């Protein structure tokens, strides 16, 4: 059991030595590439969800050079279901940047690493401390939760001022030695004991001076995001079916919602289209809004065209819903393809 009078870092390190997570797939060696991939996947996603995606990704793209040369469709395909697809597009772009600017070697300095698309200060610090043993502060979601509670920090951590306060605290607490173990320890504490719900405070190595626990107010920290009602938007997904029972998909532009993914063409309204069947509406929720999707089967002779005059024409392909090609799909499209595979639509 950690000595209760030791400082914060010493207590965490002692706890980590006995109770930390040590067998995660990206901890097998200290190579920067798998650590980088895991850190990006772990942004906004739980460890248990990430593990199979990580294993498949590393199997198909074992190093930076292979990832840089891969078609973006292959990268997005392996990301399908993980969400926040900008992460996959940024990984791909960053791999190409490393090939071009760093001769294929993952960069070693904080300034160079934060230059990579999709890598912020905390992620860069985590990669450099885990891969090269450098001393850098981190402040991911788990660490924010631990520090918000331990220091009873007021205010929603998404606010710049609160974020800066937490960063200062994190900076002060991070030891110069054993930084990698300390960073892993505080992440593990947040993931395993100082959990979002039902934290296990009796087993916590820093409970003696945890301000939220002392105030009996653990549930009040971190202060939640101020509630705003998500707006609801509507869209029609246009399902065009040919005689081979294939459906027409188009690739969305590389930026924006579902960037680079293959989707059914969409329309705001269907007045101009010949609809042969309307399927049940369902909702897909993004971080900022709900999208109510109405799938409609349209006459295949009508060429769907969701492009406006300003956009480049989008690539299209006919796809068998029972054997869709290995490209990236938006979650609702994957769901609709599975539904069409199970219950093929018979056109009259
Ligand atoms: S005592 Fe509880 S709330 Fe405080 S840091 Fe530990 S687990 Fe989190």
């Amino acid at each position: 059991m950690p000595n209760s009078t030791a400082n914060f870092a010493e207590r965490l390190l002692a706890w980590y030595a006995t109770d930390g997570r040590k067998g995660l797939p990206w901890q097998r060696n200290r190579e920067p590439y798998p650590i980088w991939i895991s850190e990006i996947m772990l942004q906004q996603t739980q460890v248990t969800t990430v593990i199979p995606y990580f294993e498949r990704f590393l199997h198909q793209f074992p190093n930076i050079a292979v990832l840089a040369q891969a078609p973006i469709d292959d990268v997005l395909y392996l990301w399908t279901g993980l969400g926040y697809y900008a992460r996959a597009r940024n990984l791909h772009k960053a791999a190409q940047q490393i090939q071009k600017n760093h001769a294929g070697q993952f960069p070693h300095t904080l300034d160079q690493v934060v230059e990579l698309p999709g890598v912020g200060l905390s992620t860069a610090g985590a990669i450099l401390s885990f891969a090269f043993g450098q001393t850098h502060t981190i402040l991911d979601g788990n660490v924010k939760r631990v520090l918000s509670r331990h220091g009873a920090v007021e205010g929603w951590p998404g606010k710049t001022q609160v974020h800066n306060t937490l960063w200062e605290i994190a900076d002060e607490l991070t030891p110069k030695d054993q930084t990698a173990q300390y960073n892993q320890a505080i992440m593990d504490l947040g993931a395993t004991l100082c959990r979002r719900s039902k934290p296990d405070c009796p087993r916590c190595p820093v409970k003696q001076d945890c301000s939220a626990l002392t105030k009996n107010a653990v549930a009040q920290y971190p202060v939640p995001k101020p509630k705003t009602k998500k707006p609801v938007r509507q869209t029609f997904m246009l399902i065009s079916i040919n005689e081979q029972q294939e459906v027409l998909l188009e690739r969305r532009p590389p930026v924006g919602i579902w960037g680079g993914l293959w989707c059914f063409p969409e329309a705001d309204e269907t007045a101009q289209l010949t609809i042969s069947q309307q399927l049940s509406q369902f909702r897909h929720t993004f971080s900022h809004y709900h999208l109510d999707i109405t799938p409609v089967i349209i006459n295949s002779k009508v060429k769907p065209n969701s492009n406006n005059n300003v956009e480049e024409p989008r690539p299209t392909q006919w796809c068998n819903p029972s054997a869709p090609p290995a490209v990236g799909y938006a979650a609702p499209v994957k769901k609709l393809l599975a539904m069409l595979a199970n219950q093929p639509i018979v056109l009259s």
Side-chain angles (χ1 to χ4, degrees):
M1 197 61 195
N3 174 351
S4 64
T5 57
N7 77 23
F8 186 89
E10 284 167 350
R11 279 177 284 158
L12 262 189
L13 285 165
W15 169 81
Y16 175 70
T18 54
D19 291 24
R21 299 177 298 181
K22 307 205 183 63
L24 297 172
W26 42 91
Q27 294 174 330
R28 281 180 203 134
N29 59 42
R30 299 284 87 191
E31 289 299 315
Y33 176 68
I35 291 170
W36 169 44
I37 304 298
S38 71
E39 285 301 319
I40 300 298
M41 286 187 170
L42 288 165
Q43 293 168 351
Q44 290 121 341
T45 312
Q46 301 276 327
V47 164
T48 44
T49 308
V50 161
I51 289 174
Y53 281 90
F54 173 84
E55 301 279 24
R56 283 193 293 268
F57 199 92
L58 265 282
H59 181 73
Q60 183 150 350
F61 311 119
N63 55 48
I64 293 170
V66 175
L67 176 59
Q69 282 159 17
I72 185 66
D73 273 342
D74 290 3
V75 180
L76 290 170
Y77 174 66
L78 284 195
W79 210 269
T80 296
L82 206 52
Y84 298 97
Y85 292 86
R87 296 183 295 175
R89 294 194 299 273
N90 282 333
L91 271 180
H92 189 241
K93 244 188 271 164
Q96 292 171 338
Q97 205 166 302
I98 294 170
Q99 286 296 96
K100 187 165 164 247
N101 300 341
H102 303 287
Q105 299 301 310
F106 196 88
H108 282 233
T109 72
L110 197 66
D111 288 350
Q112 289 171 330
V113 178
V114 293
E115 285 285 301
L116 300 173
V119 181
L121 207 51
S122 175
T123 301
I127 300 167
L128 290 171
S129 70
F130 296 147
F132 306 125
Q134 295 179 11
T135 299
H136 295 291
T137 300
I138 62 162
L139 189 63
D140 73 351
N142 282 323
V143 180
K144 276 184 196 165
R145 187 165 57 257
V146 171
L147 298 183
S148 297
R149 287 173 176 167
H150 187 263
V153 175
E154 298 300 338
W156 172 51
K159 271 177 142 175
T160 308
Q161 202 190 346
V162 181
H163 176 91
N164 291 346
T165 302
L166 287 170
W167 188 271
E168 276 169 30
I169 296 171
D171 223 12
E172 266 172 38
L173 294 173
T174 303
K176 300 276 173 286
D177 298 322
Q178 291 188 278
T179 311
Q181 289 91 329
Y182 170 84
N183 282 344
Q184 191 62 59
I186 193 163
M187 283 176 163
D188 286 6
L189 184 73
T192 62
L193 297 185
C194 198
R195 300 175 296 247
R196 201 164 287 145
S197 60
K198 300 201 185 116
D200 191 353
C201 300
R203 292 178 54 217
C204 176
V206 294
K207 63 176 185 258
Q208 291 83 353
D209 46 5
C210 173
S211 303
L213 185 66
T214 307
K215 295 200 310 181
N216 197 20
V218 171
Q220 291 166 32
Y221 299 92
V223 174
K225 184 179 181 180
K227 277 215 161 42
T228 51
K229 207 163 178 276
K230 285 185 187 185
V232 179
R233 297 184 192 160
Q234 309 282 341
T235 191
F236 290 91
M237 283 197 172
L238 312 180
I239 305 175
S240 201
I241 304 177
N242 68 14
E243 282 165 3
Q244 288 77 42
Q245 290 292 311
E246 295 167 325
V247 295
L248 189 68
L249 298 179
E250 65 175 21
R251 182 159 59 191
R252 296 176 65 92
V255 287
I257 294 295
W258 296 327
L261 301 183
W262 288 83
C263 286
F264 291 103
E266 285 178 56
D268 296 338
E269 43 88 17
T270 55
Q272 306 299 317
L273 298 166
T274 311
I275 293 177
S276 59
Q277 204 175 327
Q278 179 165 321
L279 308 180
S280 307
Q281 188 183 75
F282 62 97
R283 177 168 285 189
H284 181 78
T285 296
F286 291 102
S287 52
H288 294 95
Y289 65 93
H290 300 292
L291 184 65
D292 282 350
I293 299 168
T294 308
V296 291
I297 310 294
I298 59 167
N299 183 329
S300 66
K301 290 185 187 113
V302 177
K303 171 86 172 153
N305 184 7
S306 58
N307 304 344
N308 58 35
N309 293 333
V310 184
E311 284 182 25
E312 291 283 309
R314 297 180 185 180
T316 58
Q317 63 173 322
W318 290 98
C319 149
N320 176 353
S322 301
V327 295
Y329 300 98
V333 174
K334 211 178 166 194
K335 179 173 166 175
L336 279 172
L337 287 174
M339 195 201 79
L340 291 167
N342 285 333
Q343 298 170 323
I345 304 282
V346 181
L347 294 175
S348 47

